Amino acid sequence: MNEPRAQLVPLAAADAPAGRKAPLFGLDAESLTRLLASLGESAFRGRQLAEAMYRQWLREIDSLTVFPAELRARLAAEGWRVGRPSIARVFQSVDGTERYLIDFEDSGPKGKTAEAVWMPEGDGGETDDEDGLEEGKTWSRATICVSSQVGCAVNCQFCLTARLGLQRNLAAGEIAGQVVAVLARQGVRVGRDRVNLVFMGMGEPLLNYDNFMGAVRLLVGEVGLSPRRMTVSTSGIVPGIERFAAEPPDLRPRLAISLNAPNDRIRDAVMPINRKWPIAEVLAAVRRLPLRPRERVTFEYVLLGGVTDRPEQASELARLVRRANLPAKVNLIAWNPGPGIDYATPAPGAVAVFHERLKAEGVAVTLRQPRGRDIFAACGQLKRTVEG
Ligand code: SAH
Ligand code: SF4
């Protein structure tokens, strides 16, 4: 990995490559202002453009009616377009989850698509009550899951995305654009609806660090989402965690570590990246993260039948978490099967026993329900299934 670099990096060069339509989506208000200034326009035009793309979610320069027609035409003639990623296909689950095939129009044929997921939660079946949901609305809170790369280089043995290998990094605008596409589709009211964002789709966000944090800056600064409602999950990329720890608290999402094993021996086998950065080194890096009041780090733990789901491993995990000496909670996930992956789902009852054992040992633990299994939207099942 590289040396830690400056935390604030430019989002993208504000120059249209000759003969190619360049996306404006991905440039922050400051870069847009510089761009419009270079065309001889006043500074407020950049702000208006940012407002239109990130707050009103306009997708075409032509819809930008606050701009004179002549300016719209000039932008188009110079090769600019909004270029926000689009939802090419929707897969709907019986549980309300939607999986999206996202099309990145600007990329070449390789790595043209990735996936994002919308997971709504009802209000506990009270939707018909007076205190329930607004008319026409079927969710009271929801989680959006986005991809940071097409494929992944990390090679966790239980994960379907790993089978693709790394095809390419997504740009900041391509990561943030997935979020905006889903917000727009669902009519989310930013600042009012309870919507969480997780960087847990395809890819390892901390191996595409600048673009991942560039997306966070756009989502916080331009779109208006709160970083406290965002969680980034990592397989344990130590130099990435160290850079992350230096981010300003008002910009930093919460951190989740995919632990997935109670000791290095098992973790080496299921997550070969552990040979490079073993558990103790990952924990040491996490400990350097300045946590906000009441903030906790999440340890994700995938239960692999017969491999990581035994009751004595729950006790071993509890000891590991206690020794880590961090405000932490464990999030258990039963392994979701994928074609050609040689693991087993936990035996009936094993998840409950594991869960109870952790609780009894005093560990804060939640059990993640698999969502959208029927449409392969559940964790680790995201693998491009259709070419866009
Ligand atoms: N690359 C990052 C984020 C994407 S993976 C990471 O690994 O943390 C998001 C989560 O899904 C991780 O916690 C991972 O362990 C989990 N996961 C991967 N494959 C899974 C599967 N088949 N079933 C259940 N969870 C899985
Ligand atoms: Fe990559 Fe995460 Fe899958 Fe591991 S679990 S291969 S890091 S996406």
Side-chain angles (χ1 to χ4, degrees):
M1 290 293 298
N2 300 327
E3 292 285 293
R5 273 172 284 158
Q7 299 299 316
L8 288 165
V9 290
L11 285 171
D15 294 315
R20 202 176 134 229
K21 297 245 175 185
L24 293 162
F25 198 100
L27 301 176
D28 62 5
E30 215 183 293
S31 311
L32 292 169
T33 302
R34 277 203 302 273
L35 168 69
L36 282 150
S38 74
L39 299 174
E41 294 291 328
S42 14
F44 72 93
R45 293 291 185 204
R47 189 27 63 220
Q48 280 181 328
L49 187 49
E51 208 34 61
M53 290 194 297
Y54 302 122
R55 301 278 175 168
Q56 295 160 22
W57 307 331
L58 297 187
R59 303 205 52 201
E60 307 290 338
I61 294 180
D62 255 348
S63 329
L64 199 77
T65 45
V66 288
F67 273 19
E70 178 271 329
L71 175 55
R72 282 181 263 150
R74 194 139 71 93
L75 280 170
E78 300 225 358
W80 294 100
R81 55 192 200 83
V82 173
R84 188 181 90 199
S86 56
I87 295 176
R89 287 194 64 178
V90 179
F91 305 83
Q92 281 169 320
S93 164
V94 288
D95 66 15
T97 300
E98 290 189 344
R99 174 165 69 107
Y100 308 110
L101 186 75
I102 305 273
D103 191 6
F104 305 106
E105 299 152 47
D106 277 302
S107 64
K110 198 172 176 196
K112 215 170 129 29
T113 57
E115 302 192 356
V117 183
W118 163 261
M119 289 164 281
E121 278 170 58
D123 60 352
E126 308 300 310
T127 45
D128 291 329
D129 287 5
E130 279 175 42
D131 297 341
L133 300 169
E134 281 167 36
E135 213 181 323
K137 212 171 154 206
T138 55
W139 51 276
S140 61
R141 55 199 172 93
T143 302
I144 297 173
C145 174
V146 294
S147 297
S148 54
Q149 299 179 312
V150 181
C152 184
V154 179
N155 198 23
C156 302
Q157 299 295 295
F158 50 83
C159 173
L160 201 54
T161 304
R163 300 294 164 102
L164 290 172
L166 176 63
Q167 304 207 347
R168 72 175 181 97
N169 282 329
L170 292 177
E174 291 175 325
I175 301 170
Q178 296 167 59
V179 181
V180 173
V182 177
L183 293 174
R185 174 177 165 85
Q186 299 294 341
V188 172
R189 299 162 310 172
V190 171
R192 289 178 64 194
D193 290 327
R194 286 205 296 162
V195 172
N196 295 312
L197 173 60
V198 295
F199 296 91
M200 295 188 188
M202 299 166 84
E204 168 49 61
L206 300 191
L207 289 180
N208 184 19
Y209 192 91
D210 290 337
N211 288 317
F212 151 65
M213 272 311 293
V216 170
R217 273 191 288 278
L218 279 173
L219 291 166
V220 173
E222 309 293 345
V223 179
L225 300 178
S226 162
R228 288 160 180 268
R229 288 202 171 275
M230 299 178 188
T231 302
V232 61
S233 174
T234 177
S235 54
I237 309 297
V238 166
I241 299 170
E242 284 168 349
R243 285 185 72 186
F244 190 67
E247 296 290 350
D250 57 352
L251 202 66
R252 180 176 62 69
R254 291 153 19 127
L255 182 65
I257 302 288
S258 294
L259 190 57
N260 296 342
N263 59 48
D264 281 320
R265 187 178 53 79
I266 299 174
R267 201 168 189 266
D268 280 351
V270 298
M271 299 179 71
I273 190 96
N274 195 64
R275 294 182 206 139
K276 188 159 187 182
W277 292 298
I279 296 172
E281 284 185 34
V282 173
L283 294 180
V286 174
R287 240 177 259 114
R288 290 196 285 273
L289 188 70
L291 294 174
R292 292 168 289 228
R294 293 184 306 282
E295 184 180 357
R296 286 192 290 185
V297 171
T298 302
F299 292 115
E300 289 159 288
Y301 190 96
V302 176
L303 291 153
L304 298 166
V307 178
T308 61
D309 69 341
R310 298 164 204 238
E312 64 273 19
Q313 291 171 327
S315 301
E316 198 180 356
L317 175 62
R319 282 195 296 278
L320 181 68
V321 171
R322 276 197 301 269
R323 273 203 316 267
N325 196 23
L326 278 161
K329 67 167 184 208
V330 171
N331 192 7
L332 296 177
I333 314 154
W335 180 68
N336 292 308
I341 305 190
D342 209 9
Y343 283 105
T345 46
V351 176
V353 169
F354 201 97
H355 186 199
E356 288 309 318
R357 174 82 73 110
L358 276 181
K359 274 203 288 195
E361 304 237 10
V363 174
V365 54
T366 51
L367 187 59
R368 195 192 298 169
Q369 299 303 327
R371 303 295 308 272
R373 262 194 190 178
D374 54 336
I375 53 164
F376 282 92
C379 289
Q381 294 189 311
L382 296 182
K383 176 175 186 282
R384 199 184 42 199
T385 43
V386 194
E387 271 296 342

